[in-house]
Amino acid sequence: MSTGPGAASVPAPDHDDTLSKAPEAPRRTSMFASLRVRNYRLFFTGQVVSNIGTWMQRIAQDWLVLSLTGSSAAVGITTALQFLPMLLFGLYGGVLVDRLRKRPTLLVTQSAMALTALVLAVLTLTGQVQVWHVYVAAFAMGLATVMDNPARQSFVSELVGRDQLQNAVSLNSANFQSARLVGPAVAGLMITGVGTGWAFLANGLSFVAPLTCLLLMRTRELHTVRRAPRGKGQLREGLRYVAGRPELTWTIVLIGFIGTFGFNFPVFLSAFAGDVFDAGAGEYSLFNTLMAVGSLAGALLAARRGTSRLRVLIAAAVGFGVLEIAAAAAPSLWLFALLMVPIGVFSMTVNVTANTSIQMSTDPAMRGRVMALYMMVFLGGSPVGAPVVGWVTDTYGARVGLAAGGAVAAAAAVVIGLVLARVGNLRLSVGWHGGHPQVRFVPRERQEELAPAA
């Protein structure tokens, strides 16, 4: 991958061999290899604390809005306001991130998010909070995320370099999923015991950890990345950059389909808990917990795998869709609940592999813009698709809604896999290897050599 002015001509197949290559042992690495890097270890430690606080705020925010209004629609408005800035300004945030140094940018964005949480904590603890205050706070958090998210995503490569990028991205995902297990539980205890205001205060104070860790980093040990100069048309330049690389374009399209139709778990799981199995909040919580356990396992497995190939992404996306279809047909609550674990594993494999593939395929000077587009599609897909998925679920039932989401994910993966194979001049090969059936993509010139084995 070129880092110079000629990066726009980087050939597509080189960075991860797209879907090709004969079977080879995947490169294994220590599951926690990136933590040997001091700067990344500091970054990881700060995020552990901050992610727990973030999950606490999410739970407390929804509960506070519900308590103030008694309306689920108001909770939905709060969520939409938090995602709206990324949909509106995400690409512009990526342009700015490419121009700026990542570490100072993160110091500003993390400070802004801390201040927002602390203001909301003061309003709540003093009894002055109104629902519009929560709306403004959610929108303000979303504005900070516009730059914070692409900056954090692209900063990882500066911390660890290209060789350990997948391991670091995977550990970040494991970090977030671990917080997903701990944060809501702590928030529940805090809300019940002392009130929502203290959960907001805890989140505001939790930002002390990442801010301190950022300040303690040794800048001389960061991997130098060329920043984009100021100039006109940089947003269009970023879009053209993605459009000219099929491996980026189609990966983002795939994530768009899966995020929009397959990742609407709040809609699916609440409908299955309440309508299909006639259960309650405890079972809904169980479904989410088991999926978080699977997601954590998927992130750790990705960290150990050490390589990122688009064929892994395609296979994981197909597996994810098939598992959702299987879960839709599950006859009992416990079988449905158990299927949440592998669904979590495959969903996290899709997430980590797509994220790493895009980062490794992108010129560092373009990475902020490309990651902003990726996160805009990934984070924006669920709010856009939720009304459609919700309508299908309400009209035809939860089983049809979940099966439809899985079918869209699997079909999109198959079609995009074939498109990428065609772009890479590959053909499908079916044969035997080591006494086992094997289905893989190979270069067209090798097809005749492999035909007798089929």
Side-chain angles (χ1 to χ4, degrees):
M1 178 178 65
S2 170
T3 58
S9 60
V10 176
D14 278 355
H15 37 266
D16 78 319
D17 300 290
T18 313
L19 299 165
S20 62
K21 277 204 170 183
E24 60 182 43
R27 179 167 60 85
R28 299 288 177 181
T29 185
S30 167
M31 189 174 289
F32 303 103
S34 299
L35 292 176
R36 299 192 189 106
V37 180
R38 179 182 181 275
N39 281 343
Y40 179 74
R41 190 162 61 246
L42 285 168
F43 180 80
F44 184 90
T45 302
Q47 291 302 306
V48 167
V49 179
S50 182
N51 283 337
I52 292 174
T54 297
W55 277 106
M56 291 174 65
Q57 171 129 345
R58 287 188 182 186
I59 300 300
Q61 178 178 276
D62 291 348
W63 187 259
L64 176 60
V65 171
L66 195 61
S67 301
L68 290 171
T69 66
S71 168
S72 296
V75 177
I77 291 171
T78 308
T79 302
L81 286 171
Q82 196 153 337
F83 284 107
L84 185 62
M86 181 61 77
L87 288 172
L88 295 177
F89 312 118
L91 293 177
Y92 295 98
V95 170
L96 291 174
V97 166
D98 278 338
R99 293 177 181 173
L100 302 171
R101 288 185 296 160
K102 309 300 185 296
R103 181 167 161 270
T105 300
L106 287 171
L107 286 169
V108 172
T109 58
Q110 297 276 295
S111 298
M113 296 167 86
L115 181 61
T116 301
L118 291 173
V119 169
L120 190 56
V122 170
L123 288 170
T124 306
L125 290 172
T126 57
Q128 303 299 313
V129 71
Q130 299 178 38
V131 69
W132 71 267
H133 293 144
V134 187
Y135 288 165
V136 171
F139 189 76
M141 282 284 191
L143 283 175
T145 302
V146 165
M147 291 189 64
D148 184 80
N149 217 311
R152 274 191 300 110
Q153 297 286 336
S154 53
F155 188 49
V156 174
S157 64
E158 296 186 25
L159 293 169
V160 301
R162 179 183 174 88
D163 290 344
Q164 298 193 62
L165 181 59
Q166 167 144 341
N167 182 261
V169 170
S170 302
L171 289 181
N172 284 351
S173 298
N175 186 328
F176 188 74
Q177 295 303 323
S178 299
R180 182 180 172 186
L181 292 172
V182 176
V186 175
L189 292 174
M190 190 169 286
I191 292 168
T192 303
V194 293
T196 55
W198 293 99
F200 297 137
L201 179 62
N203 181 45
L205 295 176
S206 75
F207 283 98
V208 172
L211 289 170
T212 302
C213 290
L214 285 167
L215 291 171
L216 290 174
M217 288 180 183
R218 296 170 183 161
T219 55
R220 66 181 181 276
E221 295 178 7
L222 295 174
H223 293 255
T224 304
V225 171
R226 181 177 61 87
R227 286 179 284 151
R230 286 180 172 272
K232 294 183 178 180
Q234 289 183 321
L235 177 56
R236 291 192 300 273
E237 182 186 12
L239 294 175
R240 284 197 301 268
Y241 181 88
V242 173
R245 286 157 179 74
E247 75 282 2
L248 296 179
T249 303
W250 290 107
T251 298
I252 292 173
V253 169
L254 177 59
I255 287 298
F257 273 106
I258 294 177
T260 301
F261 299 104
F263 279 179
N264 277 289
F265 297 118
V267 176
F268 296 140
L269 300 187
S270 59
F272 266 83
D275 300 335
V276 176
F277 298 121
D278 196 25
E283 286 75 10
Y284 175 63
S285 177
L286 174 65
F287 297 157
N288 280 283
T289 300
L290 290 173
M291 184 172 291
V293 169
S295 298
L296 177 59
L300 293 175
L301 288 172
R304 184 170 176 77
R305 190 163 60 246
T307 56
S308 176
R309 296 185 183 278
L310 288 180
R311 62 186 180 189
V312 174
L313 172 63
I314 298 300
V318 172
F320 171 77
V322 170
L323 281 167
E324 283 202 331
I325 295 171
S332 67
L333 183 149
W334 288 108
L335 179 58
F336 180 84
L338 289 175
L339 283 171
M340 292 302 102
V341 176
I343 286 176
V345 171
F346 277 79
S347 68
M348 187 51 58
T349 302
V350 169
N351 187 353
V352 170
T353 307
N355 187 313
T356 312
S357 295
I358 287 175
Q359 290 209 48
M360 294 183 71
S361 303
T362 303
D363 186 293
M366 288 283 186
R367 193 167 284 149
R369 278 164 282 183
V370 174
M371 290 309 298
L373 177 61
Y374 169 78
M375 295 309 300
M376 185 179 74
V377 171
F378 182 66
L379 294 177
S382 291
V384 171
V388 177
V389 170
W391 176 81
V392 172
T393 300
D394 287 342
T395 305
Y396 300 102
R399 293 189 185 277
V400 173
L402 180 57
V408 169
V414 170
V415 170
I416 290 172
L418 293 173
V419 169
L420 287 171
R422 185 177 180 84
V423 168
N425 197 31
L426 306 175
R427 292 182 64 182
L428 184 68
S429 170
V430 181
W432 289 84
H433 180 77
H436 300 286
Q438 183 181 71
V439 179
R440 58 193 175 97
F441 288 97
V442 298
R444 289 180 183 272
E445 57 269 20
R446 297 189 56 211
Q447 184 69 20
E448 293 183 4
E449 301 173 20
L450 295 169

